[in-house]
Amino acid sequence: MAQVAVITESEQLKTLWLVVAGSLIFFMNAGFAMLETGLCQVRNSTNVLAKNLIVFCVSILAFWILGFGLMFGNGNGWLGNTGLFFQAFDPPLQNGFGGGFDSLQILYPNQPWMVVFFFQLVFAGTTATIVSGAMAERVKFWAFFSFSFCLVAIAYPITGRWVWHPNGWLTTNFNFLDFAGSTVVHSVGGMAGLVGTILIGPRRGWQGYNPDATKGHRFNDSPQNFGYNNLSFATLGCLILWLGWLGFNGGSARSIAHIPHIIATTMLAGASGGVFVLLLRGLRSHKPALSLVINGILGGLVSITASSVYVSLAAAIIIGAVSSIWIILLEKLLEQLKIDDPVGAIPVHLGCGIWGTLAAGLFANQLPPYINYPVIRIEQIFAQAIGIIAINLATIIFSLIFWLLIGLIIYLLESINNTFKSSTNRSYSLGDRELN
Amino acid sequence: MAQVAVITESEQLKTLWLVVAGSLIFFMNAGFAMLETGLCQVRNSTNVLAKNLIVFCVSILAFWILGFGLMFGNGNGWLGNTGLFFQAFDPPLQNGFGGGFDSLQILYPNQPWMVVFFFQLVFAGTTATIVSGAMAERVKFWAFFSFSFCLVAIAYPITGRWVWHPNGWLTTNFNFLDFAGSTVVHSVGGMAGLVGTILIGPRRGWQGYNPDATKGHRFNDSPQNFGYNNLSFATLGCLILWLGWLGFNGGSARSIAHIPHIIATTMLAGASGGVFVLLLRGLRSHKPALSLVINGILGGLVSITASSVYVSLAAAIIIGAVSSIWIILLEKLLEQLKIDDPVGAIPVHLGCGIWGTLAAGLFANQLPPYINYPVIRIEQIFAQAIGIIAINLATIIFSLIFWLLIGLIIYLLESINNTFKSSTNRSYSLGDRELN
Amino acid sequence: MAQVAVITESEQLKTLWLVVAGSLIFFMNAGFAMLETGLCQVRNSTNVLAKNLIVFCVSILAFWILGFGLMFGNGNGWLGNTGLFFQAFDPPLQNGFGGGFDSLQILYPNQPWMVVFFFQLVFAGTTATIVSGAMAERVKFWAFFSFSFCLVAIAYPITGRWVWHPNGWLTTNFNFLDFAGSTVVHSVGGMAGLVGTILIGPRRGWQGYNPDATKGHRFNDSPQNFGYNNLSFATLGCLILWLGWLGFNGGSARSIAHIPHIIATTMLAGASGGVFVLLLRGLRSHKPALSLVINGILGGLVSITASSVYVSLAAAIIIGAVSSIWIILLEKLLEQLKIDDPVGAIPVHLGCGIWGTLAAGLFANQLPPYINYPVIRIEQIFAQAIGIIAINLATIIFSLIFWLLIGLIIYLLESINNTFKSSTNRSYSLGDRELN
């Protein structure tokens, strides 16, 4: 067994916090499940829940097999090439790293690598879960299952490495700032969802959508109303997610002393998103739209994720308030573009993820000691833009490849199946028509 | 940037515990939301949830703008007058205090003040949430929104200062004991709710209530039955609140070594409240009344809040058992007085809050090292009574002022509105008649 | 007051972790309540919830009065005989032990005993809650209330002592390995449920069951379908339980440095259980059975409980995968044997509890420093078998005695009652016929 370093109490404390924060982030799976089952139609409820539950199981296995090595293994600024098939390097109870993970000693000095594995794992799982929201109520179970595996095994760890690995090219060349993942986690999840949503089309009946009509006549003028399953679940989901975000942002702190400031900005941005979205639209209609408040809060939380340690409390409130404008505009835009996003995952995670990453450039007025240079405003904003474009573009390409491959396999499997079974009317698609 | 003190590992540990405990308390918002949506009628569910969600957002902003300064800023034993508009003093990542918060160095030595802000914030938010329970299903959204802001910005921090600021007049003159807020949080929330409930009247149909009838004929003999939305949500809410209480009481410990005793008394008092309320009423009816067990547990938890560090385990059980008697009697009394409290917030938070604060005087048999004098039983009971009366009286006065001002503004706004729109039949009241 | 030892920061950290882990385990009560209300019929929902809520309250009192002393008091390897009526030894805020709990200084050096009380209490409560799942929807409220008290006061602490007390005969003679209670907690709960379920019979209508028919004709060929109340609650319950398991297994760590490995094996086994149960049965039917995935995950978690600190990550995945086979086979077997287990508690907790305990013998490849001898595979497997048989046998005997005594008392009470009231048609049984 490898040699065990002497661990200080301060390092033990850090270990404990990573465990607690990781547990809170893990619990976000319950938040997403409740949010999505609450905002979807009751008849698709079981399907939505099953996807939410299995996606995290799949993510764990995918990250263990391949993802963690690609993201934190040794290699260049683009890709890791050691530590794949994690089990080969499994030295239980060991402290310190080695065996293909030199970077972790820099990022998490003297931490047992299992705690890093756990903490990074729950981030990866969150990314995959976001996708399920945008594609809810219509994506085929096994297609989504496979996509989640690919996303967490390959796409997420590669783009994540660019930012969070000490040698990542976005970090070393541009000092791209994304503290806890407005882009690395939320934009990536939201963008993968957007690509999938466009490929798969809306739910049957949404804005009168009829996938069997000829092109150009698929939307009619009598939109069917899609009710909510149960807003109690959605509200619970929102509050569980908010709780989890305290671990999400707080757990990313390098030092215990930074946590309180991070928690405070996170609380304020969430509250600001909720209150301003209500003031912006609620005052007009005199009726509080609960689903809007929920997404306003979540948008504020996504926005502050990139910068919670770098900005002042006042800036956190501004960031949250601006995100509420984004939410309203983007929801309107998606409706115009006939893109069906049942739970509002794209405005919240992609829209506010981009905004939050830009905001880190706009408002960062302090950098923790470990980033040893002053922020030059215009350069930092440029760096943020580079990072946003690079990661989103990569996610689009990865998602297209994954969905097309999965679609091809489904087409082939169903063709083979039909050859023997002579059943017709199969869909040959990623979407589960019967669901809706 | 201000100078940063050297932080010991023991202080870091305290910081971490305040973050974790604060997170558990934050999660109580989900508990209250689930409890209230579960115990209300399904048709008002969305309205109840929206209030529960927005009230915490509003509280965060109100406490940031004004409340924290009033409560912990420098000043006299009645009122703080520095640190208002918190953002002016925003030194991120800083340790130690100063800049208007001398008291915090005494209460939380060497803690980053952001952690105190967060921890105190979630207490303030709890107070406001309690009000929503008593007034559920009928208070106007914007009236409640405004009241919550005033309560957290002004009333709660002022009465809270009297007890929890080192120079608070109830502490310095009387040694009033309220460990984690049976009075400071729960009574204040319950009393504000009681005042509001009396002003606004019952839900239409409750005990046959008809607000349009002439006075004296508003209640008829055929009471309409108000069913529950879903007791699964209410049970979940109860357990989330119990979980949060471990942070609520445990987080108030001055030292890590005190936490286990606090947790143990909290567990026992909650269990005792649940079991005794069942034995008292359940044995007679042979049917377990789930909503009663829920309120029995919550009553036990409210009762032990004032004294969880001061009393023995056996005393905790007695305190919980007595609170269950209170719950039953007060629910009956409110019904007699025609006061409609849909979720039982007044017996639980006001009734057991008062009892718990008295019980701290009756049962305190030990005081942590930082209170350096013996308890003299009769004097302490007298001190407790003084504190209970002072804080509840102040809360009544504050609540009346806030509700009347808000009512006046609504009246004026609606009059102006009607002048132009010539719509009639507006209610000019704090209550949302259409809700019910 | 006893002398107070100087506590190191490392010990404070341990105290804090026990509080946090205990809180997560406490929250498992919400998980069980949601799981059971979700998987039962809507019309019995309130009854199921009331049992879940009160069972924990009862457990707290039972463990306080008798259980903790029997389990950790001084005595021999079979039974404790000091520390009964815990309140007699109540030294609040005290560190160190004594007064009848010599063992705790070995197990939890320098920890305040209240934290041990809390941490052990939530384990005891879990055991009792498991029983409610297997007997859901038909056991009489007061019968279950009484059984829970007996289980936590007497049966659980005695069998638990055999393993977790430093002098327990299974530990000292056989080195039986059960890290966090696959057998001590889960098998015991599952076995007590199985005994109760057999005694009480199925729900009326399950597989056409008619308790009023003559023996041999009680099941007919037209099974009535028992739907689920709401799978959203069940999914939430599963995720809350998974969260709690991080405290369940992680909290049992002797050292902070062991926690991350424990968390990682726990995550992987749960994920493996969920994915493999889906692959095994889901691939055939093309439809994801959500309730199956839920039980697959829970089975994986139960299985890894005995060995999470002793096995590699790869072994954790195998343990979880095998548990999914068990779940499927045992659910089928129970159906064949006409044993009605509404939520699948017996396959999950009893079945996977036994498997997990065996697996600890099969896969343990490392033992923490405090177990100072190498694992000899065949001996260890034999030891595991001894422990499994001894504890399950004892649980069967205890359960039979408790249920028969409770049944006798109910019979007597109802006979007396009937003598005076002359009502007929009373059931004289443990089961609540009207429920179904």
Side-chain angles (χ1 to χ4, degrees), chain B residues 4 11 78 86 140 146 160 178 195 202 205-206 241 256 319 364 387 394:
Chain B
V4 177
E11 284 157 2
W78 294 77
F86 192 59
K140 269 186 180 153
S146 312
D178 188 4
V195 172
W206 183 79
L241 287 171
I256 299 291
I319 290 173

Side-chain angles (χ1 to χ4, degrees), chain A residues 363-383:
Chain A
F363 293 101
N365 64 359
Q366 55 182 331
L367 291 167
Y370 56 86
I371 299 184
N372 43 12
Y373 55 83
V375 174
I376 301 155
R377 190 68 63 205
I378 192 73
E379 279 192 14
Q380 191 63 52
I381 293 169
F382 176 74

Side-chain angles (χ1 to χ4, degrees), chain B residues 306-318:
Chain B
S307 62
S308 46
V309 79
Y310 309 129
V311 299
S312 70
L313 297 193
I317 288 184
I318 296 168

